[in-house]
Amino acid sequence: RYISVTGVQTCALPIYLNAFIHTHQSRPADCVATMMSFETDYPSACGILELDQRGVVTAFHEKVANPPGKLANAAVFIFSSAALAIIVGLQKHSVAEISVDFIPTLLGKIVTFHNDIYHRDIGTPESLAAAEQEFPEIYRAFKPKGSEQ
């Protein structure tokens, strides 16, 4: 399995890692990848997900004006070898973007893992500054057992 964090993100992955991996290992047989999701306050600035009753991505709306909800792609993935084979099969010879080039190809084959503790895109100086203030407190409150910090 391959874990990918795309873009510039701060999330509770250290807190969730084992559960995230477990979700991937127990994913539906027809799924080849696991995507972290989160609720966003700015849906038009995110890739918004639609899911079936199993938590599998059935539709994806990348940064559209009026998306159908607030459940967003957190840009943190675990890809199986089968997913990577599909991606390689697309034969992209230039720079490719996961949300534009790959997710639409994998619709119906990506199960989600919901991050309900903390996630922030840190692609702007303001967002980075907010994460620098918020994350230490979040981590202290939820840090994994046995953590030294």
Side-chain angles (χ1 to χ4, degrees), residues 35-101:
M35 171 195 292
M36 186 178 288
S37 65
F38 74 106
E39 290 285 328
T40 180
D41 292 330
Y42 306 101
S44 62
C46 298
I48 298 300
L49 309 172
E50 291 184 62
L51 310 178
D52 68 12
Q53 68 280 2
R54 302 175 302 157
V56 173
V57 180
T58 58
F60 183 69
H61 310 273
E62 178 64 11
K63 298 176 183 153
V64 297
N66 295 301
K70 295 172 60 172
L71 185 66
N73 166 20
V76 181
F77 302 88
I78 302 176
F79 293 113
S80 68
S81 298
L84 295 177
I86 292 168
I87 291 168
V88 169
L90 295 175
Q91 299 182 342
K92 288 284 183 180
H93 297 291
S94 61
V95 175
E97 186 178 335
I98 287 178
S99 60
V100 173
D101 299 311

